[in-house]
């Protein structure tokens, strides 16, 4: 059973060994940093000169409800970084990476944890010579207050390469991430896995955000019932046009409904973002489906309509928190 690695004063000597840098000190970044070895894991600051402390302190509630005090350093130098985990939102990823990438050693693997699709390809296309990998994870973390992270559900993380140099380092990256004690596996068909998750998110998240409801409540809503078959047709057509193994619209719908039932009481990340006044990742989920469909000469009016409606939602505070 893995445990987060609490620490209040990292050893003097530990810092130089294989440091893992985390870009994006939000829910998921703090989760990984808490489980990875404390001496060799730190966060990349947005602006090092604005730091008031070289340490970041926070509390972690692990998946068994136990509390941990976590202390990790802010990394002011990146020249020794052996692995970069990018845990920003999809829409922030390029802008977050661009100012720091030249400070990373050329062989440093870059692992992208974003949900949806579009941001991963943008990074791989912009820096094709870099070892870029994508992660698809079912670990779940949320951040109910700024200094508190909750490991809401234990899951698995699949890692696969997006560039040629990424393929050469996949095993080494898995070994390094496995030091967290979390379940990490290799995935040769990472795009397929990301597509699978995107299809489920596309069929649940926008409905929960538009209807401002929990996952299970979409299943009986007229908005969902009126559009889910057409949405699954659009997804099936695009998945096939992408050259990925095909899925029937019925299979996609069954999968969406199964996940919505199994997570009936949960608030989706999209609804959570909208409730907290944060930008949603709609452009990388239904927005991505609509854009890619257009590029490939396919119609995706339902995905487009859902993306348009989510973009116009006005955030409002809600006492229910996401999980
Ligand atoms: N949370 C989960 O359980 C989970 C599970 C699977 C996948 N994911 C995916 O992982 C990604 C991150 O999710 P999350 O829930 O951790 O989001 P989050 O809590 O919003 O964390 C994102 C973090 O990135 C930081 N950031 C943004 N721009 C930055 C920059 N230029 N430099 C440095 N840091 C920057 C943000 O800082 P500010 O807050 O200061 O803007 C924020 O702390 C998303 O794509 C999500 O879909 C999350």
């Amino acid at each position: 059973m893995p445990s987060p690695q609490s620490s209040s004063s990292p050893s003097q000597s530990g810092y130089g060994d294989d440091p893992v840098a985390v870009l994006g000190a939000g829910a998921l970044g703090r989760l990984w940093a808490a489980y990875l070895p404390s001496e060799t894991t730190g966060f990349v600051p947005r602006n090092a000169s604005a730091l008031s402390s070289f340490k970041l302190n926070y509390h972690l509630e692990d998946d068994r409800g136990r509390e941990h005090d976590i202390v990790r350093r802010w990394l002011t130098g990146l020249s020794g970084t052996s692995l970069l985990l990018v845990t920003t939102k999809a829409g922030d990823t390029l802008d977050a990476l661009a100012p720091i990438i030249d400070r990373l050693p050329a062989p440093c693997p870059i692992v992208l944890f974003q949900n949806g699709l579009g941001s991963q390809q943008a990074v791989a296309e912009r820096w094709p010579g870099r070892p870029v990998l994508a992660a698809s994870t079912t670990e779940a973390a949320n951040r109910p207050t700024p200094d508190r992270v909750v490991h809401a559900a234990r899951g698995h993380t699949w890692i696969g390469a997006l560039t040629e140099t990424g393929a050469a380092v996949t095993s080494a990256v898995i070994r390094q991430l496995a030091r967290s004690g979390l379940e990490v596996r290799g995935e040769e068909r990472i795009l397929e896995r990301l597509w699978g998750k995107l299809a489920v998110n596309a069929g649940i998240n926008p409905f929960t955000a538009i209807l401002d409801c929990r996952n299970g409540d979409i299943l009986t809503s007229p908005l969902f019932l009126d559009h889910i078959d057409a949405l699954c047709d659009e997804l099936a057509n695009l998945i096939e046009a992408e050259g990925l193994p095909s899925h029937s619209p019925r299979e996609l719908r069954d999968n969406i409904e199964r996940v919505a039932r199994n997570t009936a009481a949960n608030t989706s990340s999209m609804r959570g973002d909208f409730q907290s006044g944060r930008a949603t990742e709609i452009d990388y989920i239904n927005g991505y489906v609509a854009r890619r469909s257009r590029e490939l000469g396919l119609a995706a009016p339902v995905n487009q309509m859902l993306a348009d409606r989510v973009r116009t939602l006005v955030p409002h505070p809600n006492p229910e928190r996401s999980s």
Side-chain angles (χ1 to χ4, degrees):
M1 177 65 65
S3 271
Q5 313 212 1
S6 303
S7 99
S8 52
S9 76
S11 72
Q12 293 290 316
S13 60
Y15 283 170
D17 308 333
D18 297 340
V20 176
V22 180
L23 177 63
L28 194 63
R30 287 174 191 236
L31 181 81
W32 278 96
Y35 281 89
L36 284 163
S38 56
E39 290 84 0
T40 53
T41 305
F43 290 98
V44 183
R46 219 186 263 264
N47 178 0
S49 59
L51 288 174
S52 55
S53 161
F54 288 104
K55 287 181 179 165
L56 177 61
N57 301 272
Y58 56 97
H59 304 286
L60 177 90
E61 179 184 324
D62 72 19
D63 58 306
R64 295 163 69 190
R66 297 171 303 191
E67 294 288 331
H68 305 265
D69 289 329
I70 307 294
V71 181
R72 295 292 179 270
R73 37 177 200 144
W74 286 109
L75 301 166
T76 49
L78 296 176
S79 59
T81 309
S82 66
L83 175 61
L84 179 74
L85 309 185
V86 185
T87 52
T88 51
K89 292 280 197 192
D92 293 325
T93 299
L94 269 185
D95 286 349
L97 261 175
I100 67 151
I101 200 150
D102 288 339
R103 295 164 52 210
L104 292 170
C108 173
I110 298 168
V111 184
L112 307 170
F113 277 82
Q114 289 63 45
N115 268 338
L117 277 163
S119 67
Q120 300 91 337
Q121 295 97 323
V123 171
E125 280 162 23
R126 179 137 169 210
W127 295 289
R130 291 270 180 176
V132 179
L133 302 97
S136 177
T137 187
T138 54
E139 299 290 352
N142 59 67
R143 199 173 158 206
T145 58
D147 68 349
R148 184 174 175 76
V149 172
V150 177
H151 190 182
R154 181 167 292 275
H156 301 281
T157 300
W158 289 267
I159 306 282
L162 297 179
T163 61
E164 254 180 67
T165 49
V169 297
T170 306
S171 303
V173 168
I174 292 166
R175 277 198 301 279
Q176 217 167 344
L177 287 179
R179 294 172 76 190
S180 63
L182 301 174
E183 280 286 334
V184 185
R185 302 171 184 176
E187 173 59 274
E188 287 188 3
R189 295 182 300 209
I190 192 70
L191 278 179
E192 232 173 279
R193 188 169 286 278
L194 289 166
W195 257 112
K197 195 169 181 191
L198 181 150
V200 171
N201 285 337
I204 296 178
N205 289 14
F207 295 107
T208 63
I210 294 165
L211 299 168
D212 196 11
C213 68
R214 290 174 181 262
N215 292 0
D217 298 336
I218 64 171
L219 293 168
T220 50
S221 76
L223 183 69
F224 179 85
L225 294 169
D226 287 351
H227 292 102
I228 190 62
D229 283 328
L231 180 129
C232 290
D233 285 344
E234 294 173 13
L235 286 169
N237 289 340
L238 179 57
I239 289 170
E240 193 176 344
E242 291 282 15
L244 298 167
S246 59
H247 295 275
S248 70
R250 185 69 238 177
E251 261 180 275
L252 294 171
R253 178 172 175 171
D254 287 346
N255 203 26
I256 288 165
E257 292 185 339
R258 182 181 53 78
V259 175
R261 271 194 305 274
N262 290 346
T263 61
N266 289 9
T267 283
S268 74
S269 56
M270 192 171 288
R271 182 185 181 216
D273 283 340
F274 144 73
Q275 286 179 338
S276 312
R278 294 186 301 255
T280 72
E281 296 190 299
I282 191 73
D283 290 346
Y284 301 88
I285 302 177
N286 304 81
Y288 176 77
V289 173
R291 181 163 59 80
R292 268 308 279 165
S293 298
R294 253 194 325 275
E295 285 169 4
L296 297 177
L298 300 169
V302 173
N303 279 281
Q304 186 67 58
M305 176 275 291
L306 292 170
D308 290 344
R309 285 189 64 174
V310 170
R311 287 189 198 109
T312 60
L313 291 175
V314 180
H316 67 85
N318 189 306
E320 294 179 3
R321 299 296 308 187
S322 71
S323 58

